[in-house]
Structure formats: structure tokens, C-alpha cells
Amino acid sequence: MANVKFYCDSERCIECNGCVTACKNENDVPWGVNRRRVVTVKDGEPGERSLSVACMHCSDAPCAAVCPVDCFYTTDNGIVLHDKETCIGCGYCSYACPFGAPQFPESGAFSSKGKMDKCTFCAGGPEETGSAEEYQKYGANRIAEGKLPLCAEMCATKALLAGDANVVSDIYRQRVINRSMSTLASNVGIQKNFLGSSPDLTGKATK
Amino acid sequence: MDALKWSSNKITSFNFNLSLLACLLITLFAIFSFSPAIAAEDKLGNSNNTVTQQLGVKSPATDLWRAVRQREFKGSAGLSSSSQVKSMGSTEFINIKGQEWRNFRMGQLVPYAAYLLGGVLLVLALFRLIRGKIKIKAGRSGKKILRFSPFQRFVHWSTAILFVILGVTGLLLTFGKSGLIPIIGGKAFGAMAGVGKVIHDYLGPVFGIMLLIMLFTFIKGNFGNWTDVKWFFKGGGMFGGHASAGRYNGGEKAWFWVAILAGAVVVVSGIVLDFPYFNQTRDDLQLSHLVHAIGSVGILAASFGHIFMGTVAMEGAYESMRTGYCDENWAKEHHDLWYDDLQAQGVVGAGASMSGSAVAGVGAVAAGAMLREPSSNASGSTDGSAHVSGGSSDIDKQGLMDTGVSSSKKTPVKTADKKSASSSSSQSKKTGSSSTSGESDNLKKIEGIGPKIEEILKGAGLSTFSQLSHSNPDDIKVILNDAGPRYKMHNPKTWPQQAELADKGAWDELSDLQDRLLGGRE
Ligand code: HEM
Ligand code: HEM
Ligand code: SF4
Ligand code: SF4
């Protein structure tokens, strides 16, 4: 089975927050919880970049390791899901998670947090696939319908990639190389214009 | 270069192969013919990563991801980052401390807590097996000394019960995954831990309040001194002969301070976790959890020692907190200096002591005595010490029978405690306390008079029932007022009347009268 992953391309993300909204709508995410968020650095300065962050579905998931009631499980696709029936809302998963993915619908006295909620890679939860309970607790199960997570599908610039990790990395690798190419090509142009030499791209070392 | 070869294996698209080829060539080109370009790149402040240098270009995302990994985007410390999503830590890319906290919780807390708590239990069990129960060497005297007031016992047991519940519900989270889930399954354990968590979260603050009350209730007598140092050097009497101790021994004092101080740490860190109203960040919560967990495990390990000594390890200890009274011989053996003090104050010992005849009013005696001796409670504040004759609970009765003490003068069980009082009072009349007037009665027989007031009255020349019966309540009031403000509250109105009956030896009538009185007042 494929091992699925998200990847966000910082060269393409335009901080439109479309993924955040798409997720919230598709999964009917509890009030106050955002399973996905866009973080921007150097806002308004040169080098500004944005990344869309959510659960990364870790292979060695820290949340699952620390959960005192052991309510996490990993699907055949490598999607990290959890059981809200068993969750006690202790918050430990949110302390351990590197990406701030686990969130809580409540934040009241006596450590009342409610059941933890996090990105499911649009793969629902332990309840019967496609059932009303599953939708109510975890949101859509698009994976079961053969679809990818809506956040990535919605992404206008295709910055956010989701799917088989190999495919995602191939796409990204291709993008990197293409970008290198264009940078190099512009370098070549610079060399030509300013150094007077004319680089040859035919593959021969000397002319 | 290796990286590129590897990717070329993976990528099959024709276009891509073409561009790859070009890329390879350009790379070579860049390296061998255009070193000034590379130098120029370096001057622009780009990283000196070797692959980058070889390529001459790099993915612009590299810098970003490296910065993210190195946590350069964090609040005021590094570069600023922002997000439209407003929630705890939403502007943070990577939670730096997460992995450290995971390692602490899973790699250290769970195993070391198991070793420590298990180790302490093992040592205590071995101690019990080798040393056996610490007996009262002289056997039980049957004479009881008041050690803890009802209020002290109330405070102790409420704190103790809360502590046990908090300990159990807390450790459930720590060890449930490894210890209980394999046995009862995840669903059942989840339900259990869910209830446990709510209980823990609600009782925590209550424990905090009780701990504060405990601090004030028990602090008297818990300050360390040289006796305690010596006590520790003698291992509490295990080696180097008898270890003297005052009201509390070195070990008890150590436990008191561990309970209060570690308890305070646990309470404060618990409140930080419990009430998210102080803008706690995730880092704060991780730190609080770490402090809470270490503090809890420490205080739990210490509490095992305390509970062990207070129950299975030492004869006569449990009953003192259970009933409020300890056996006189237990006091002599374990708290000799305290006992000496009580003797010096005339609370216990030959003069004041009554015979241990009364197995009679079991249970009722203790409670009755307490009500009839308000002065002892008032004068000793929370640290009240007085004595009463007779067993005070079923446990004591058992103890008395076990050691075979004081079976000689058994009065029938149904006799009221006033009866047994009568016989002992006449006895104490003969033995006599060191009163100046030669003859003296046990004035404590009068409801409202305790050891302290007896002392005052005798000091003022009222040593016998007959003298008291002929005095005016107002005059007695003057004596009491002179003795200090704390005696002002006592109302001696009925004392002459009671004394008259006592003088006549009309004990039944006195008893009837006293039943109608409350604390010596009408
Ligand atoms: C001395 C008594 C206490 C003991 C022995 C104790 C023990 C523990 C233990 C062992 C844990 C689990 C740690 C882990 O496995 O990760 C825990 C968690 C916790 N404790 Fe305590 N604790 C005590 C008092 C308190 C108090 C006074 C409060 C609050 C005012 C409190 C609030 C919490 C909270 C909020 C947690 C996190 C999990 C949860 O939400 O239940 N505890 N405690
Ligand atoms: C269920 C468990 C417990 C048992 C069976 C127990 C038993 C006892 C007993 C028998 C005594 C009397 C010792 C004597 O006469 O000198 C005592 C004293 C005392 N206990 Fe406990 N106890 C328990 C839990 C606790 C807890 C949880 C605390 C505090 C958090 C505590 C604090 C004290 C204090 C302050 C004293 C007075 C002596 C001193 O200052 O050390 N106990 N306990
Ligand atoms: S919640 Fe966090 S720790 Fe768990 S799998 Fe997702 S990203 Fe990893
Ligand atoms: S909040 Fe729920 S899912 Fe997270 S660690 Fe606690 S019990 Fe597990």
C-alpha cells in the first residue's frame, strides 16, 4: 500500500488560506479548532514565505507514543488516526507533536479539553466507514471514496501536495530541478552579458 | 552528483531526462568554468553547503526549511512568523520541546518512576520481613494519652484520602498503558482513565487547600533540632541504641516537610495544568507537567515510607491517628522527650494518671472525655494533650487483651464511665498529686475543669471538692481571669454545685447533672 504524505511548496504558497477553509468546511471541524493553518515568515519583508501546516502523519508518531490511553493507530496508508471514544483529553499528544496538530474543542477550568481533534488526511476514523457517526466525529472519509484530502485538491497554486509519498516527492523534485534550471539559465545569461563568454549548452566541453 | 544520479533512476519522463542532462552539463560547466559566479553567490550570504556549491544553485526552500529546523522563527527571539489562525502555538512551525518532552515522558518518567516506587516498596517489604513489626517492648500499659485532637485527625485523614485518590488516578496515567491496557484492553482502560482524569483534575485543588490547612495544623512540633540529627544518625533507633524523640521524631518531621514542600510544588504545577487562564504556552505546559510528574513521584515514594510506618510496621502508631489516643508505653518508647514534657506539665504520670481499669466505656469514653475537657483542648490549642483512662476503641480493647494488661480491675461493661472515674478518683486522692495543701482532690472530675484549670485553682488554694463547693462562682471567675485571657471563656457557674456532689460522693447524681451540662455550663 502506498504511504501517504503532505508536502507544502514554499515557493508556491501564497497564503490564501484556501486549504484551511476547505478543510474546515469539508470536515465540519469543531468550533475553535483548525486542523490546518498557514504560517508566514518575514511577513512583508524580502524573503517572505508561507507554509501550510497540519498533521504530517509521522511514521514514528510522537503523539501515539505519549498517549496514555493508546488511542492512536496507523492505517495501511500510513495515516495516523485516533479514537475519540477512548481519548480522555489529557493534552499530552499536543505537547509531543512537532507540528501543533492535535487541538482541543474546549479550554476550561479543571483541564477540561474535550476530545482531541486533528487532521485525518480526510480518512475519517474508527467508526464504520461512511457512517454518520464517523462524519460527525472525524469529518469526511474521502480516502475511502478514492479521493485525496480536500485541502490539497483545493490548493490554487498546487503548493500543497498530498498523496503517495513517492509521487509527491517526484513532483517536488522535478520542480526543484526545473527551478535550478531556470536559475542556471539566467546565470548563463548573466555570464554572457557581463563576462563576455558564451557558455555552451550542447554538452561538449570545448567548442 | 550522487544525488542527481539517484534521481535520474527514478525519473522516467522524456522531457525530464533531457532537462536533467542539461542540468548535469551545466553543473559541470558551472564548477569548472565559472568559479567567479560561485564566489559571487557566496558573497550573497548563501550557505556553504557542498551540494549547493556544486550545483551553483539551490532550492530557495532550503534556507526556509533550515531556518525552520533551527527554530529561527519563534516569537521575539528569532524572526517573526504569523498566522491567520489564532490559537496556542499557531505561529510556530515546529514545537521544539516536543521531542524532549516525549523522551522525558516515555524514556525517563515511566521507567524511573517504576524503579523508584517499586524499589521503595521492595525495601519496605524486606525491612518488614527482616525486622518484623516494631512492638511496644513493655507491652501496652492500657493508659491512653491524647496525641491528636479531632480537628487534627480530620485534617490528616482528609488530606490522606485525597492524596491516595490523586496518587492512584495520577499513576493510572503513568502506568496504565504498559500495565493495564494489555490486561483489560484499551477501551475499558480509556473509560477508567477518563473518570480518573476528571477526579484528579477536580480533587487536585481541594488537596491544595487541605495541604495548606495541614501546614498550620501540624507545623507546631515539626521544626528540626539536634535531637532529630542524632535520631537520623542512629537510624531512628536501628543502630546505636535508643534514639530520643520529641513529639515527632526526625523521620516524621522529614516527611512533614517533604509532604508540604513537594506537595506545594505538585499543587502549583498541577494548577498551571488545570487552569488554562494564564496564557500558558505549550512550553509552559510541558515544563509544568515535568515538574508535576517528578514532584508527584517523589512525594509518592516518601509517602510509602510514611504509610508503612503508620500502619503495618509499628505497633501502636495507627491507633494514635485513628482514635487520637496513643498508649503511654508507646509514647515512652517512641517519643520519650514528649512524654517527659507531658509528665512535667502534670498531664500524665503518677499524679494525674488514672488507673487503666476501664475497658468499660469503650469508645464512648474517649469521645466523652474529649467533650468534658474543653480546657485541655483550649490550652493546648491544636496541639492538645490530655489523658483519659480506658480503652478508646475496639482496636485498643483488642490490644489490651492481647498483652494481658489490666485485667484485674475490670468493671462491668455497662457501667458508665463516671463510675470508673469515681474509683480512680478516690485512688488518685490517696496517691495525691504534689499539692501544697496536703490534701487534694482530682478536680478534673468536674465538668469544665481540665488539667490546666485544675492547676490554676490549686494554685489559688482551691484543692479539694469541699473548698470548691464553698466558693462563689464569681470569685472563681476572678481567679480564671487573672490566669490569662484564654481562661476567660470558661464559665464556673456550676462548679460549686458539682463539687458539692463530688464531695458527698454522690457520683450518680453528679453524673446525671453532668449529662445535662455542656462543657460545665448550663
Ligand atoms: C500530591 C498529590 C498528587 C499526585 C501524587 C499527583 C500525581 C500525578 C501523576 C502521577 C500524574 C500523571 C503524570 C503522567 O503520567 O504523565 C498527574 C497528572 C496531572 N495532575 Fe496530578 N498529582 C497530584 C496532585 C495534583 C494537583 C494538586 C493538581 C491540580 C491542582 C493536579 C493536576 C494534574 C493534572 C492537570 C495532570 C495532567 C493530566 C490530567 O489532566 O489529569 N495533580 N498527577
Ligand atoms: C493513607 C495513608 C496514611 C496513613 C495510614 C497515615 C498514618 C499516620 C499516622 C498513624 C500518623 C501518626 C504518627 C504519630 O503518632 O506520630 C500520621 C501522622 C501524620 N501524617 Fe499521616 N498517614 C497517611 C497519609 C498522610 C498524608 C498523605 C500526609 C500528608 C500529605 C500525612 C501527613 C501526616 C502528618 C503531617 C502527620 C503528623 C506527624 C508529622 O508531622 O510527621 N499523612 N499519619
Ligand atoms: S499529530 Fe503530530 S505527532 Fe501525531 S502524526 Fe500528526 S504530526 Fe505527527
Ligand atoms: S488528548 Fe487524547 S489523544 Fe491526546 S494523548 Fe491524551 S488521550 Fe491521547
Side-chain angles (χ1 to χ4, degrees):
Chain A
M1 274 256 175
N3 193 29
V4 299
K5 282 283 177 263
F6 281 119
Y7 190 84
C8 183
D9 188 341
S10 59
E11 294 311 295
R12 284 176 173 240
C13 178
I14 54 169
E15 201 203 352
C16 70
N17 280 290
C19 49
V20 178
T21 319
C23 169
K24 193 126 183 131
N25 193 47
E26 179 75 352
N27 294 310
D28 215 351
V29 174
W31 189 248
V33 173
N34 286 289
R35 291 181 178 177
R36 185 167 275 294
R37 67 184 192 276
V38 178
V39 183
T40 303
V41 298
K42 298 193 190 172
D43 197 3
E45 297 165 37
E48 171 180 335
R49 290 288 183 283
S50 296
L51 280 176
S52 175
V53 188
C55 173
M56 293 290 228
H57 300 278
C58 311
S59 307
D60 170 22
C63 55
V66 300
C67 176
V69 297
D70 210 8
C71 71
F72 289 88
Y73 62 100
T74 306
T75 68
D76 297 340
N77 288 331
I79 301 171
V80 178
L81 297 177
H82 74 294
D83 183 353
K84 288 195 181 183
E85 278 306 301
T86 311
C87 170
I88 59 171
C90 64
Y92 290 4
C93 48
S94 76
Y95 304 164
C97 173
F99 305 107
Q103 289 172 48
F104 297 87
E106 295 165 27
S107 167
F110 300 104
S111 190
S112 58
K113 298 190 179 73
K115 307 285 183 184
M116 186 273 268
D117 189 87
K118 77 167 192 66
C119 157
T120 64
F121 210 84
C122 287
E127 264 74 23
E128 197 195 322
T129 301
S131 64
E133 295 85 64
E134 185 189 47
Y135 181 76
Q136 190 247 321
K137 281 185 197 152
Y138 307 96
N141 192 341
R142 295 171 56 88
I143 295 292
E145 296 165 7
K147 300 172 188 158
L148 284 172
L150 192 66
C151 51
E153 298 235 36
M154 280 289 211
C155 181
T157 60
K158 291 289 164 269
L160 187 58
L161 305 172
D164 183 340
N166 289 329
V167 176
V168 168
S169 46
D170 280 353
I171 293 172
Y172 186 67
R173 196 178 293 120
Q174 201 168 346
R175 286 184 187 174
V176 168
I177 292 170
N178 285 346
R179 280 175 205 145
S180 303
M181 286 292 295
S182 54
T183 316
L184 274 174
S186 81
N187 265 3
V188 168
I190 293 167
Q191 308 280 343
K192 260 187 186 157
N193 293 342
F194 294 92
L195 301 178
S197 57
S198 54
D200 172 43
L201 303 181
T202 58
K204 292 183 187 135
T206 47
K207 233 182 185 163
Chain B
M1 298 304 272
D2 276 346
L4 286 168
K5 268 183 211 138
W6 174 75
S7 55
S8 74
N9 292 337
K10 293 253 168 188
I11 296 164
T12 48
S13 123
F14 172 73
N15 272 343
F16 203 73
N17 264 347
L18 201 87
S19 54
L20 185 82
L21 194 68
C23 175
L24 270 168
L25 286 172
I26 293 165
T27 306
L28 281 170
F29 194 62
I31 293 166
F32 296 115
S33 326
F34 296 106
S35 40
I38 295 167
E41 282 254 335
D42 276 352
K43 265 186 227 122
L44 289 173
N46 286 317
S47 105
N48 51 5
N49 181 297
T50 48
V51 176
T52 311
Q53 270 185 350
Q54 279 171 5
L55 281 168
V57 276
K58 63 183 177 199
S59 165
T62 316
D63 273 347
L64 173 66
W65 282 111
R66 187 172 298 118
V68 167
R69 255 207 78 71
Q70 285 161 3
R71 285 83 196 199
E72 280 169 21
F73 303 108
K74 250 211 98 194
S76 55
L79 302 162
S80 67
S81 57
S82 58
S83 176
Q84 298 296 311
V85 169
K86 307 289 177 223
S87 63
M88 183 174 70
S90 67
T91 61
E92 245 175 64
F93 275 121
I94 293 188
N95 166 12
I96 311 169
K97 301 269 171 60
Q99 189 67 4
E100 285 169 31
W101 184 80
R102 172 191 176 174
N103 290 340
F104 159 73
R105 174 91 194 345
M106 304 317 291
Q108 293 173 310
L109 175 65
V110 173
Y112 291 141
Y115 296 148
L116 179 66
L117 298 180
V120 170
L121 283 183
L122 201 72
V123 167
L124 294 179
L126 282 177
F127 178 85
R128 180 68 174 70
L129 283 177
I130 296 167
R131 175 72 173 70
K133 193 164 189 156
I134 302 167
K135 294 263 177 223
I136 301 176
K137 290 192 206 83
R140 280 169 200 269
S141 66
K143 289 176 202 155
K144 296 282 149 193
I145 303 177
L146 181 61
R147 184 157 168 80
F148 297 110
S149 71
F151 181 71
Q152 283 176 311
R153 287 184 287 135
F154 168 75
V155 171
H156 177 267
W157 289 121
S158 357
T159 318
I161 291 167
L162 286 168
F163 179 88
V164 171
I165 297 174
L166 286 168
V168 169
T169 52
L171 290 180
L172 209 57
L173 291 190
T174 317
F175 297 125
K177 196 174 190 170
S178 42
L180 273 178
I181 291 182
I183 303 170
I184 63 171
K187 286 261 179 226
F189 177 73
M192 199 168 140
V195 175
K197 176 193 179 281
V198 173
I199 294 176
H200 193 95
D201 292 345
Y202 277 82
L203 290 189
V206 185
F207 174 80
I209 294 167
M210 287 316 294
L211 197 69
L212 195 66
I213 300 177
M214 174 170 262
L215 168 67
F216 291 116
T217 314
F218 285 94
I219 195 165
K220 191 177 170 201
N222 265 314
F223 290 106
N225 55 33
W226 267 110
T227 316
D228 303 322
V229 177
K230 282 185 242 158
W231 186 91
F232 272 110
F233 273 107
K234 291 180 177 177
M238 276 193 293
F239 28 84
H242 176 76
S244 280
R247 180 170 167 92
Y248 302 123
N249 63 39
E252 286 178 290
K253 290 179 191 179
W255 160 243
F256 175 81
W257 290 110
V258 166
I260 294 294
L261 298 176
V265 168
V266 167
V267 168
V268 170
S269 56
I271 284 174
V272 173
L273 292 168
D274 231 0
F275 300 95
Y277 301 131
F278 314 104
N279 289 326
Q280 292 100 317
T281 63
R282 193 164 37 206
D283 287 0
D284 298 336
L285 296 177
Q286 288 163 351
L287 183 68
S288 299
H289 172 275
L290 182 135
V291 169
H292 190 78
I294 296 176
S296 310
V297 170
I299 194 173
L300 278 166
S303 78
F304 286 177
H306 175 73
I307 296 171
F308 175 74
M309 290 312 285
T311 52
V312 292
M314 181 187 275
E315 180 185 6
Y318 178 70
E319 68 197 46
S320 74
M321 197 45 95
R322 170 78 213 282
T323 65
Y325 291 86
C326 68
D327 193 274
E328 197 174 274
N329 284 348
W330 180 87
K332 278 184 201 160
E333 284 170 24
H334 297 298
H335 300 278
D336 48 346
L337 302 179
W338 177 61
Y339 182 81
D340 292 349
D341 278 352
L342 292 186
Q343 217 170 13
Q345 289 162 17
V347 180
V348 293
S353 176
M354 293 183 264
S355 90
S357 63
V359 180
V362 175
V365 178
M370 214 98 67
L371 285 175
R372 279 184 292 103
E373 296 196 311
S375 61
S376 67
N377 284 338
S379 61
S381 68
T382 52
D383 196 18
S385 302
H387 80 288
V388 70
S389 70
S392 45
S393 82
D394 295 340
I395 301 161
D396 302 340
K397 188 176 173 187
Q398 197 61 45
L400 287 169
M401 284 172 177
D402 282 351
T403 46
V405 175
S406 91
S407 48
S408 51
K409 286 178 76 184
K410 251 188 211 142
T411 24
V413 174
K414 268 288 134 213
T415 352
D417 52 314
K418 308 294 169 345
K419 267 275 168 61
S420 64
S422 76
S423 63
S424 43
S425 104
S426 53
Q427 191 194 26
S428 78
K429 211 176 202 168
K430 264 153 233 153
T431 348
S433 63
S434 54
S435 168
T436 38
S437 66
E439 206 197 352
S440 124
D441 284 321
N442 183 352
L443 300 183
K444 293 194 294 295
K445 291 278 128 318
I446 288 169
E447 190 154 321
I449 299 185
K452 284 268 156 69
I453 295 189
E454 181 179 38
E455 217 172 279
I456 294 162
L457 293 181
K458 286 186 178 167
L462 296 172
S463 304
T464 63
F465 290 135
S466 126
Q467 282 165 332
L468 191 59
S469 68
H470 292 109
S471 50
N472 186 325
D474 292 339
D475 295 341
I476 304 174
K477 191 94 195 150
V478 170
I479 297 172
L480 289 177
N481 286 350
D482 287 350
R486 65 158 64 157
Y487 300 105
K488 273 209 176 91
M489 60 191 271
H490 295 278
N491 186 347
K493 198 171 154 212
T494 66
W495 296 357
Q497 190 191 354
Q498 289 188 55
E500 197 183 330
L501 293 173
D503 195 31
K504 280 196 284 190
W507 300 109
D508 286 339
E509 278 169 61
L510 177 61
S511 169
D512 285 346
L513 175 65
Q514 287 177 344
D515 283 346
R516 278 181 274 118
L517 299 173
L518 186 72
R521 299 169 222 180
E522 256 164 326

